[in-house]
Amino acid sequence: MSASANRGRGGAGATVVTSQKVVPGREDDYERWQERVNGAVRDFDGFEGTELYPPEAAEDNQWVVVFRFSDVGRLSAWLRSAKRRELLDEGSDLFEEEPSQEVLSGGQPAQEAVTAVISHKVRPGHEQDFVHWQEKVLRTQQKFRGFMGSELFAPVEGIQDRWVVVFRFDSREHLEQWLESDVRGKLLAEGRDSFAEFDVREIASAFSGWFRFGGGEQAGVPPNWKQAMSVLLALYPTVMVLNLTVAAALTRAGVAGFLGLFIGNVLSVGILTWFLMPLVVNRGLAFWLAPDRPRSRRTDLAGAAVVLACYAVLLVIFSVTA
């Protein structure tokens, strides 16, 4: 994504980001309820996809769900539908407070990244001041390490009266550096004349649970392109070995294919989560993956070259053994 602010004003594509603070101890009930919601929304015209992001910290218990539609009209039909209202009434006791949502009309598809969604209540008559202030914020963000892009979304008439900005960084560490920076604090103070309040939500990385290098939840995770390369490095040989051994044995024993595949997936996830990722990949590639290690373009290229070389070795090995 280019590092520029795109103002979503009804272009192709529409997204709603809903943040829901679940009552402690009701997480399983919430997930079952959310599955019913996901099943219902699939029947609506223009629906394109959904993602559910659990809280990073258990004490937070803030769940974020994203629904994507082909355009704002079809998204609006879902938001105003009787079916959605019925589901919200059913799940009302699952939440500590009223869920909040931001509607994003237009804009670019989200890349794999750590994302912050910030909604602003702009003071009446200060809309242009707010836009100019956001442009200043963007110019400052571009100077911060790991910044990947930003989009500014105007209110959607009849659905939402807040302005929403979405910005992405390549790691949680870099996102937190921006959010906690002194320069951002000064910018917020400057912008207070144009907006009355704002609310920040973070959407986590897809693979973050497999990358821990000490320091707890705030230690950060590697950029997502490194995570994807590393997971593939561990996943490919795991799946191949299981196919050649466990899958073959299950087939000979007459186990149904769907059950054999399930058993293989359970084993591969377990092997990755408790053995290969923490004990092999994270340790072997710590110089390249660990967020607290010094980073340089040379280090990034060297680590990527090592992973690519490992891919090549694995392909050669399995070409003669499979």
Side-chain angles (χ1 to χ4, degrees):
M1 175 179 298
S2 61
S4 62
N6 299 309
R7 297 179 195 137
R9 297 184 183 272
T15 302
V16 58
V17 180
T18 303
S19 181
Q20 303 165 131
K21 194 171 185 65
V22 177
V23 174
R26 301 293 304 276
E27 292 82 4
D28 290 344
D29 294 334
Y30 164 72
E31 290 192 72
R32 285 191 289 269
W33 174 84
Q34 189 64 58
E35 280 299 319
R36 294 203 304 276
V37 175
N38 293 348
V41 71
R42 292 188 189 101
D43 295 332
F44 277 71
D45 189 31
F47 173 73
E48 293 186 344
T50 183
E51 297 113 47
L52 177 64
Y53 298 91
E56 279 290 292
E59 61 272 15
D60 178 33
N61 231 23
Q62 193 88 16
W63 295 67
V64 176
V65 61
V66 177
F67 293 108
R68 306 184 192 281
F69 280 76
S70 58
D71 58 68
V72 71
R74 291 180 172 87
L75 172 59
S76 179
W78 156 248
L79 292 177
R80 295 171 173 169
S81 67
K83 182 61 178 177
R84 178 173 178 269
R85 172 49 53 191
E86 176 187 333
L87 287 164
L88 289 176
D89 290 343
E90 288 179 12
S92 61
D93 63 337
L94 298 173
F95 308 113
E96 291 188 337
E97 56 194 43
E98 187 74 17
S100 60
Q101 68 181 31
E102 284 81 38
V103 175
L104 316 179
S105 175
Q108 302 298 315
Q111 297 181 1
E112 188 79 20
V114 182
T115 304
V117 179
I118 305 183
S119 63
H120 303 77
K121 186 176 182 180
V122 176
R123 301 182 191 278
H126 288 263
E127 291 80 7
Q128 284 303 312
D129 294 336
F130 175 76
V131 170
H132 293 322
W133 174 75
Q134 277 292 343
E135 290 171 349
K136 183 176 182 180
V137 172
L138 174 61
R139 289 195 296 271
T140 305
Q141 276 183 314
Q142 290 172 329
K143 301 174 184 176
F144 272 67
R145 191 171 188 178
F147 179 69
M148 297 178 67
S150 176
E151 295 174 86
L152 178 62
F153 296 86
V156 180
E157 186 176 357
I159 301 179
Q160 173 182 280
D161 59 2
R162 288 183 171 238
W163 290 70
V164 180
V165 62
V166 177
F167 54 84
R168 303 175 182 92
F169 280 78
D170 63 358
S171 72
R172 181 168 295 279
E173 176 192 24
H174 290 156
L175 172 61
E176 295 295 341
Q177 286 175 1
W178 161 250
L179 292 175
E180 297 171 5
S181 66
D182 292 338
V183 66
R184 178 173 178 268
K186 293 177 182 178
L187 286 167
L188 288 174
E190 290 179 19
R192 284 296 185 179
D193 290 338
S194 62
F195 64 88
E197 60 183 57
F198 68 95
D199 190 33
V200 181
R201 293 175 187 80
E202 297 179 24
I203 299 178
S205 157
F207 296 120
S208 59
W210 276 337
F211 296 88
R212 288 288 179 264
F213 295 90
E217 291 294 332
Q218 300 304 318
V221 294
N224 281 13
W225 66 274
K226 292 185 180 182
Q227 295 181 40
M229 290 184 69
S230 303
V231 172
L232 177 60
L233 179 62
L235 181 63
Y236 173 65
T238 301
V239 172
M240 285 298 297
V241 170
L242 288 175
N243 281 341
L244 293 172
T245 56
V246 175
L250 291 174
T251 299
R252 288 194 298 270
V255 175
F258 73 92
L259 181 57
L261 182 61
F262 175 77
I263 294 171
N265 285 338
V266 170
L267 291 173
S268 62
V269 169
I271 291 169
L272 261 66
T273 301
W274 290 289
F275 176 63
L276 284 181
M277 293 305 300
L279 302 180
V280 180
V281 174
N282 288 350
R283 290 185 180 182
L285 296 175
F287 77 96
W288 183 60
L289 290 172
D292 60 348
R293 300 291 179 87
R295 292 181 183 175
S296 67
R297 185 173 180 82
R298 179 177 296 179
T299 301
D300 284 348
L301 291 174
V306 169
V307 176
L308 291 173
C310 291
Y311 290 164
V313 170
L314 290 171
L315 289 169
V316 170
I317 291 174
F318 289 117
S319 70
V320 298
T321 58

